[in-house]
């Protein structure tokens, strides 16, 4: 549930406390030379290091808010960046788990320093962003989900192993055999930032859906077919 004006922090409270303690120790250590009779240049370096450490600490309190259909990110040195969702061109996943998202408006490139980059690891952030993007791309998500169910797609497990999935079942390319979902056993494990689907038939496959990737059509697909399966004993 999106709450307008609420601060959604990118780092958890535990992470913030831990890193602030580390930075505090570092800043105290760099501040000590100011009280010792040493060269002025060393004191200047000490002050610079202390200020740098304190400025890095502001990054730990990065958060975003949703206001008037806009994402407002407050990050390093409490600098604010704002993007209107109506102007959103794309969302870029910055790593294979999609734990960092870059929001790119129409008038910018994906490498613009004025884009909004959000660390989508804290569960609350993940679910808020999913809801936000689903509202914007709902029709597109629903169409793509239906397309996946009817036309299917190839699921690559490795270079040599793959399966073809659709709403009917699992097709094994080597034998062309189709295993209907009703004949497949399935277990679903919901974690904080991921869902693990385990399908057992003649073979066993585990699929991890990282929620931060916000690939809603694929998530909808696996949620739909898992309901058709037998519950794993």
């Amino acid at each position: 549930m999106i709450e307008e004006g609420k601060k959604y922090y990118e780092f958890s409270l535990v992470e913030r406390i831990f890193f602030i303690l580390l930075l505090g120790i570092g800043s105290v250590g760099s501040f000590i030379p100011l009280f010792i009779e040493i060269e002025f240049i060393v004191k200047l370096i000490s002050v610079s290091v202390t200020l740098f450490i304190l400025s890095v600490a502001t990054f730990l309190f990065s958060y975003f808010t949703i206001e008037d259909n806009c994402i407002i990110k407050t990050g390093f040195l409490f600098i604010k960046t704002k993007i209107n969702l109506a102007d959103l061109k794309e969302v870029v996943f910055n790593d294979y788990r999609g734990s960092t998202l870059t929001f790119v408006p129409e008038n910018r490139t994906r490498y613009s320093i004025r884009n909004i980059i959000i660390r989508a690891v804290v569960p609350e952030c993940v679910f808020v962003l999913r809801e936000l993007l689903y509202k914007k791309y709902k029709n597109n998500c629903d169409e793509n989900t239906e397309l996946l169910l009817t036309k299917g797609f190839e699921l690559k497990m490795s270079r040599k192993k793959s399966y073809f999935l659709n709403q009917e079942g699992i097709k094994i390319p080597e034998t062309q055999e189709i295993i209907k979902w009703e004949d497949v056993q399935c277990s679903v494990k919901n974690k904080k930032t991921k869902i693990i689907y385990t399908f057992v038939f003649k073979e066993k496959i585990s699929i991890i859906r990282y929620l931060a990737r916000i690939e809603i059509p694929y998530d909808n697909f696996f949620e739909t077919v898992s309901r058709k399966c037998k519950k794993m004993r």
Side-chain angles (χ1 to χ4, degrees), residues 1-10 16 62-68 70-74 80 122-125 128:
M1 180 68 181
I2 297 173
E3 296 181 39
E4 292 224 350
K6 179 180 177 179
K7 294 180 180 179
Y8 295 101
Y9 286 96
E10 296 177 51
R16 278 179 272 157
S62 297
Y63 64 87
F64 67 92
T65 57
I66 311 299
E67 298 176 21
D68 299 324
C70 294
I71 303 176
I72 302 173
K73 165 77 179 280
T74 303
K80 290 183 181 290
V122 179
E124 188 177 31
C125 290
V128 166

Side-chain angles (χ1 to χ4, degrees), residues 46 87 140 217:
S46 174
D87 299 329
N140 182 260

Side-chain angles (χ1 to χ4, degrees), residues 52-63:
F52 174 75
I53 290 174
L54 292 175
S55 65
V56 168
T58 65
F59 173 71
L60 298 172
F61 289 87
S62 297
Y63 64 87

Side-chain angles (χ1 to χ4, degrees), residues 16-28 53 60:
R16 278 179 272 157
I17 292 173
F18 177 73
F19 285 114
I20 287 297
L21 285 174
L22 287 181
L23 291 172
I25 293 170
S27 61
V28 169
I53 290 174
L60 298 172

